[in-house]
Amino acid sequence: MHDAQHYLHMPICHSHYIECPPMGLETLKIDDFQLHASTTKRYGLGAHRGRLNIQAGLYEDDLYDGAWCAGRDDPLQWFEVDARRLTKFTGVITQGRSSLWSSDWVTSYKVMVSNDSHTWITLKNGSADLIFSANREKEIPVRNIFPTPVVARYIRVNPRSWFNIGNICMRVEILGCPMPDPNNYYHRRNEVITTDDLDFRHHSYKEMRQLMKVVNEMCPNITRIYNIGKSQSGLKLYAIELSDNPGEHEVGEPEFRYAAGSHGNEVLGRELLLLLMQFMCLEYLSGNQRIRHLVEETRIHLLPSVNPDGYEKAFEVGSELSGWSLGRWSNDGIDIHHNFPDLNSILWEAEAKKWIPRKMFNHHVPIPEWYQSKNASVAVETRALIAWMEKIPFVLGGNLQGGELVVTFPYDKTRSQGVTREQTPTPDDHVFRWLAFSYASTHRLMTDANRRVCHTEDFAKEDGTVNGASWHTAAGSMNDFSYLHTNCFELSMYVGCDKFPHESELPEEWENNRESLLVFMEQVHRGIKGVVRDLQGRGIANAKVSVEGISHDVRTAADGDYWRLLNPGEYRVTARAEGYSLSSKKCEVGYEMGATRCDFTISRTNLSRIKEIMEKFNKQPIRLPVRQLQARRSRERRMGT
């Protein structure tokens, strides 16, 4: 027997029994080569696919399928995890197979442990083998906690019964705490430790609100809390602003936003924004020049929880049991992220009819009337987001999602009807690709060619970025709406394979994303900026700023200031406004960070002056005063006319 085999018989005092966190099958901390099985139906259903919440490909018999499935259906089958070190195992979580076509799940199982993978001990209930009840359907995870924790290196799940018209298929997570082992190189190599002293835990709605208040009290001069509206159940949608002049738009200073949690069960983004807000406050106070520069030169808005109703549902059952979809939608069943008006179709139809720019512009596409009616199925959260997006002149935004490791950029809807995947670039494709890469390339895992795919797509081959429509088409996304209706370039960051990572994973996830979150914010200072003024020096609101060769204009804010994200290069830029003559100039964007200043002064046209005078007199011919009229008539009589 192995030297450490005696550990298997060691009772662990129940009063000190603390449930261990997941070992990391779902988060990919456990490598493929640590997973083994008795038999396998085929490669796409191998042991490496037996991970909790893993998603299948669209087609049956895909190379990437949605579970481990045994090659035979009998009670001798097993799924094994090699922890690679002594581990205190405390429980198992199981799911059935992710599939649109098949119904496969295990209804009961035994658990066995070993230190050498030869001698196996079955967990007992007295003298009898312990039988755990498993799943009743394929999606809802079921957790079984062992009556007494057990220490070993290997653990096996041995299915005893399964759905009567299905096969032995499982997705699994193991709960386990590694035992102290200072000599274990493998474990140390995989450890990521953070030095940031932050509040690493999942926060309920009340706790989130309290944490925002604490940060506001710590940094009252650079923070402001406000809400953009309410959720369907009446919870306020809280945002926090970081700026050296909170509450005010400063001329020439760009506005940036991060939003998270539009899918309430994708909770990592929410926690990352709460960590970012704490980190920026603390670093600002300690004199970190990079953070001070960001806060002083940018107005930053963080909206951690777009869908607090959905989050509360997922939070209630916890990180491993919420499954893939519980809490995703708003309270009235709406997917908030894809609930915006489809402006793509409106723009593309206008382009086909050659209406641009005579009848319609290539930007600030108006929201259709039907969408604004009370009967439209629009979530109150979506309406609140739209009002927020229209009120503040945002330049750049990111919305944090979960369940993948990739950054997506518009368009999210395919141009060809009925096509589910198709590259559909915006006129600003090169800028979007740079913005996406700025986040992905600074993330610890996104561009790592050696990392395991989360589910079915190898995005690392694409530098961790993808055009949304070439992944899967979606009409009415927040990204497309933001680009077509406002000046703001918006991207989606899918920040982790696990939508709801265990609390113990948060420090590592923070380390994975921290630099990316900062670098992406800094991109708001890339391109050109300036003010469009009249001859008296007053800023002109709503003036159009066009870049030659890019069929997408931006507009000036209320004070006449504008920002135009551009990659390095030389551009011919034109400013125009109704009633003014246009003005063009060359503006150069360098490689160093900091937008190039490009101001415009434009003068009124003669026609606009005449129109203004006509407006003043209600469009009537200008009437002369009576005395002037009489003098003119007597003059005309004297001259005999």
Side-chain angles (χ1 to χ4, degrees):
M1 193 180 278
H2 193 280
D3 289 346
Q5 191 73 25
H6 69 279
Y7 267 117
L8 296 176
H9 304 284
M10 285 176 61
I12 294 176
C13 180
H14 214 76
S15 60
H16 299 303
Y17 184 5
I18 297 169
E19 185 189 313
C20 287
M23 289 179 62
L25 276 78
E26 184 176 7
T27 60
L28 311 182
K29 247 186 173 174
I30 297 292
D31 284 326
D32 284 357
F33 63 76
Q34 292 175 259
L35 305 176
H36 309 278
S38 49
T39 59
T40 293
K41 202 167 194 173
R42 55 184 164 76
Y43 177 77
L45 292 164
H48 64 295
R49 301 298 293 174
R51 300 170 179 273
L52 193 73
N53 282 320
I54 206 161
Q55 299 298 294
L58 284 176
Y59 308 103
E60 197 78 337
D61 299 337
D62 202 301
L63 186 62
Y64 297 106
D65 226 316
W68 159 66
C69 289
R72 299 189 301 274
D73 291 326
D74 64 46
L76 300 174
Q77 306 307 309
W78 45 261
F79 175 85
E80 177 185 308
V81 181
D82 174 6
R84 296 189 63 85
R85 64 182 291 178
L86 287 178
T87 300
K88 179 172 78 173
F89 296 118
T90 63
V92 171
I93 300 165
T94 59
Q95 257 174 333
R97 175 181 172 186
S98 164
S99 170
L100 294 171
W101 321 101
S102 308
S103 295
D104 304 304
W105 62 85
V106 168
T107 54
S108 69
Y109 59 85
K110 292 181 184 179
V111 173
M112 300 181 283
V113 289
S114 169
N115 275 323
D116 56 11
S117 80
H118 298 294
T119 307
W120 291 88
I121 290 175
T122 303
L123 269 56
K124 302 279 185 186
N125 181 12
S127 59
D129 290 352
L130 193 54
I131 305 281
F132 294 97
S133 292
N135 302 86
R136 294 181 180 180
E137 51 87 85
K138 56 190 172 188
E139 282 302 332
I140 299 172
V142 172
R143 176 175 57 193
N144 280 298
I145 301 299
F146 304 156
T148 306
V150 59
V151 176
R153 172 175 164 174
Y154 300 91
I155 184 166
R156 275 183 183 175
V157 178
N158 165 221
R160 306 302 295 171
S161 61
W162 45 94
F163 180 48
N164 59 4
I165 55 170
N167 304 112
I168 294 177
C169 296
M170 302 181 84
R171 290 178 285 170
V172 179
E173 182 62 85
I174 305 293
L175 304 177
C177 304
M179 300 298 281
D181 181 0
N183 302 317
N184 190 304
Y185 164 75
Y186 175 81
H187 183 73
R188 277 177 312 172
R189 184 170 65 87
N190 284 301
E191 269 181 335
V192 174
I193 295 167
T194 187
T195 55
D196 295 328
D197 184 18
L198 308 172
D199 187 17
F200 291 107
R201 63 197 173 96
H202 289 295
H203 296 81
S204 67
Y205 179 77
K206 282 184 179 173
E207 290 165 341
M208 175 188 80
R209 197 175 56 188
Q210 183 58 30
L211 182 59
M212 292 172 94
K213 197 172 165 217
V214 167
V215 170
N216 180 228
E217 285 165 359
M218 278 171 61
C219 291
N221 297 334
I222 61 160
T223 61
R224 177 180 74 102
I225 299 169
Y226 65 99
N227 76 76
I228 69 160
K230 287 183 179 177
S231 72
Q232 205 267 339
S233 75
L235 298 177
K236 287 180 179 171
L237 308 179
Y238 284 109
I240 190 164
E241 177 193 331
L242 293 123
S243 162
D244 61 346
N245 205 351
E248 271 185 59
H249 170 71
E250 295 178 69
V251 177
E253 192 169 289
E255 308 251 2
F256 176 92
R257 68 166 178 255
Y258 272 133
S262 56
H263 299 139
N265 63 329
E266 294 169 16
V267 308
L268 177 54
R270 170 195 178 106
E271 294 307 326
L272 287 174
L273 293 192
L274 295 179
L275 291 165
L276 180 64
M277 139 192 115
Q278 297 169 63
F279 175 78
M280 290 188 74
C281 167
L282 291 169
E283 292 297 303
Y284 187 90
L285 292 176
S286 68
N288 178 325
Q289 284 307 302
R290 181 188 189 187
I291 301 302
R292 281 190 165 252
H293 184 263
L294 255 174
V295 169
E296 286 160 10
E297 300 298 321
T298 326
R299 192 172 172 217
I300 299 159
H301 304 256
L302 308 178
L303 180 67
S305 190
V306 171
N307 181 6
D309 297 349
Y311 174 80
E312 291 296 299
K313 285 178 191 166
F315 180 75
E316 199 177 326
V317 295
S319 69
E320 277 60 70
L321 301 184
S322 59
W324 191 249
S325 58
L326 179 69
R328 176 184 174 89
W329 298 279
S330 70
N331 249 11
D332 37 5
I334 292 172
D335 181 334
I336 296 167
H337 186 69
H338 297 118
N339 187 220
F340 293 81
D342 171 13
L343 303 183
N344 304 57
S345 300
I346 295 170
L347 177 73
W348 295 340
E349 193 181 326
E351 285 176 350
K353 291 177 176 173
K354 300 200 165 33
W355 284 356
I356 293 170
R358 285 179 303 104
K359 284 191 179 180
M360 198 174 124
F361 297 121
N362 63 15
H363 63 286
H364 286 241
V365 178
I367 296 171
E369 275 180 37
W370 67 264
Y371 184 88
Q372 300 183 55
S373 74
K374 284 188 177 173
N375 299 333
S377 54
V378 182
V380 291
E381 295 89 345
T382 315
R383 292 197 193 278
L385 281 171
I386 290 175
W388 187 48
M389 293 159 82
E390 289 181 331
K391 183 181 176 186
I392 297 171
F394 291 114
V395 179
L396 179 61
N399 53 81
L400 306 187
Q401 313 276 338
E404 254 306 342
L405 268 174
V406 68
V407 180
T408 74
F409 52 90
Y411 289 121
D412 288 334
K413 183 184 175 180
T414 55
R415 201 178 264 259
S416 306
Q417 280 190 324
V419 177
T420 55
R421 289 183 170 202
E422 176 185 66
Q423 281 282 348
T424 311
T426 65
D428 282 290
D429 192 54
H430 293 301
V431 179
F432 273 117
R433 285 178 184 277
W434 167 258
L435 292 169
F437 185 67
S438 74
Y439 193 99
S441 62
T442 46
H443 189 280
R444 284 187 61 253
L445 299 173
M446 270 187 201
T447 53
D448 181 357
N450 298 317
R451 76 169 176 85
R452 189 195 181 284
V453 299
C454 289
H455 302 284
T456 62
E457 307 267 356
D458 188 358
F459 291 117
K461 280 197 275 188
E462 310 289 327
D463 286 330
T465 70
V466 69
N467 167 252
S470 70
W471 182 16
H472 51 73
T473 187
S477 77
M478 183 171 172
N479 297 350
D480 288 5
F481 173 82
S482 182
Y483 180 69
L484 292 176
H485 185 67
T486 77
N487 288 335
C488 185
F489 286 38
E490 178 98 11
L491 295 86
S492 291
M493 290 80 183
Y494 290 78
V495 290
C497 301
D498 186 350
K499 287 186 177 186
F500 196 154
H502 189 270
E503 212 154 82
S504 60
E505 300 288 339
L506 292 177
E508 183 168 345
E509 292 294 1
W510 168 244
E511 285 297 314
N512 288 344
N513 285 281
R514 179 186 57 200
E515 181 62 15
S516 305
L517 289 164
L518 296 174
V519 164
F520 185 73
M521 275 196 281
E522 289 167 339
Q523 303 313 307
V524 78
H525 297 285
R526 185 172 286 283
I528 59 173
K529 68 174 183 180
V531 182
V532 179
R533 296 184 176 91
D534 63 17
L535 292 175
Q536 284 70 45
R538 293 174 301 219
I540 301 169
N542 228 20
K544 283 194 294 179
V545 177
S546 313
V547 178
E548 193 177 285
I550 302 176
S551 178
H552 182 82
D553 304 339
V554 298
R555 296 206 179 195
T556 55
D559 299 306
D561 47 349
Y562 78 93
W563 303 262
R564 181 59 167 97
L565 296 174
L566 292 166
N567 285 347
E570 193 175 81
Y571 300 92
R572 175 153 287 283
V573 184
T574 301
R576 53 168 67 82
E578 200 173 331
Y580 291 83
S581 51
L582 58 81
S583 171
S584 294
K585 61 168 67 172
K586 274 192 177 168
C587 305
E588 198 169 319
V589 178
Y591 284 89
E592 65 287 344
M593 195 55 79
T596 303
R597 192 77 199 230
C598 206
D599 295 326
F600 292 89
T601 301
I602 54 180
S603 58
R604 301 295 298 271
T605 61
N606 288 336
L607 183 62
S608 75
R609 285 204 196 92
I610 292 164
K611 276 185 180 171
E612 194 176 278
I613 294 166
M614 296 281 280
E615 287 287 334
K616 202 171 176 182
F617 293 97
N618 294 328
K619 298 188 181 172
Q620 298 298 317
I622 298 164
R623 295 190 183 281
L624 294 170
V626 176
R627 274 187 195 161
Q628 276 181 273
L629 212 55
Q630 286 170 341
R632 185 198 280 178
R633 280 181 187 152
S634 65
R635 210 168 38 244
E636 285 168 353
R637 277 197 299 271
R638 277 198 310 272
M639 294 172 72
T641 56

